[in-house]
Amino acid sequence: MIDLKIEQSWKRVLFDEFEKPYFVSLKKFLTQEGQNHTIYPKAEEIFAAFNNTPFENVKVVILGQDPYHGVNQAHGLAFSVNEGILHPPSLKNIFKELHEDIECHVPQSGNLTKWAKEGVFLLNTVLSVRANEANSHKNMGWEIFTDALIRVLNEQKENLVFILWGAPAAAKASLIDDKRHLILKAPHPSPLSSYRGFFGSKPFSKTNEYLSAHGLKPIDWCIE
């Protein structure tokens, strides 16, 4: 069966989830998928968001839909791509908003590991995908897992910023107490929806204003 390695602090707070029947079934499904199809990201990178941002370090959650499904794009951090890979359209729009909002230079690299190390948990609602088939791992159990994960963050942390991009992410808002945390909802940054309110939503400056107001160190969003 596929081996999903996850950082110790997350293993501790999510221990019960890994024992539940839905998660056992999900692992079986991923094992079969991996035998018959190419899946992204690679098995050892499925939990990269967790392994780069331990539970105690999370300050911001950026929530997307599912991983990129092109060759060598996804590496386990939502919206991020491996070094040397062209920026997908959604990431181009994120960088455009980053520049407009807080004047960061648009970086050459689309790798967002720096954000993850700053405490930005780059999560998708679904953590895997079949090559060239968007949403192909929808309703296989990941949504149950990420719901549980968001409940844990909501209950065990305070003053987090949840940045929810797109309808699947926005649907998670009901799991978050907006008296304890800041919720920033916007359309998905893909070209299909970015002009319906993603551009001009100023998530980066709003996040840092909230963190500063609660005595927390702002995120250094500039990658270069």
Side-chain angles (χ1 to χ4, degrees), residues 2 41 46 74 99 102 118 121 126 133 148 181 222:
I2 195 166
I46 284 176
H99 176 69
I102 56 174
E118 287 271 324
F121 189 47
V126 172
E133 294 185 40
H181 308 287
C222 295

Side-chain angles (χ1 to χ4, degrees), residues 84-100:
I85 299 297
L86 289 174
H87 299 175
S90 294
L91 186 57
K92 282 183 183 175
N93 287 339
I94 290 168
F95 286 156
K96 184 175 179 182
E97 179 64 16
L98 178 69
H99 176 69
E100 293 292 325

Side-chain angles (χ1 to χ4, degrees), residues 149-205:
L149 163 61
I150 288 171
R151 287 192 189 97
V152 165
L153 286 165
N154 175 62
E155 291 164 8
Q156 297 191 24
K157 306 278 283 186
E158 297 218 6
N159 303 322
L160 294 179
V161 180
F162 288 87
I163 300 174
L164 311 180
W165 286 337
K172 304 279 195 188
S174 62
L175 306 173
I176 304 163
D177 181 353
D178 62 5
K179 296 180 179 63
R180 293 179 62 171
H181 308 287
L182 177 65
I183 302 172
L184 299 175
K185 285 193 279 190
H188 196 276
S190 79
L192 295 173
S193 55
S194 55
Y195 287 93
R196 298 206 301 264
F198 174 78
F199 289 129
S201 59
K202 299 187 180 298
F204 308 104
S205 58

Side-chain angles (χ1 to χ4, degrees), residues 6 10 14 23 41 45-53 55 58 60-68 75-80 94 112 115-116 119-128 142-154 160-166 168-170 172 175-176 188-189:
I6 190 167
W10 287 107
L14 294 170
F23 200 87
E45 293 181 329
I46 284 176
F47 282 142
F50 301 77
N51 299 333
N52 279 282
T53 313
F55 180 75
V58 177
V60 180
V61 180
I62 291 183
L63 190 59
Q65 186 169 302
D66 67 338
Y68 298 123
H75 65 118
L77 305 179
F79 298 104
S80 180
I94 290 168
L112 303 180
W115 289 2
V120 181
F121 189 47
L122 294 160
L123 181 70
N124 282 308
T125 57
V126 172
L127 301 187
S128 60
W142 280 127
E143 294 92 341
I144 303 170
F145 178 74
T146 50
D147 278 1
L149 163 61
I150 288 171
R151 287 192 189 97
V152 165
L153 286 165
N154 175 62
L160 294 179
V161 180
F162 288 87
I163 300 174
L164 311 180
W165 286 337
K172 304 279 195 188
L175 306 173
I176 304 163
H188 196 276

Side-chain angles (χ1 to χ4, degrees), residues 125-139:
T125 57
V126 172
L127 301 187
S128 60
V129 69
R130 188 184 293 179
N132 304 315
E133 294 185 40
N135 267 331
S136 47
H137 288 184
K138 186 179 178 183
N139 298 327

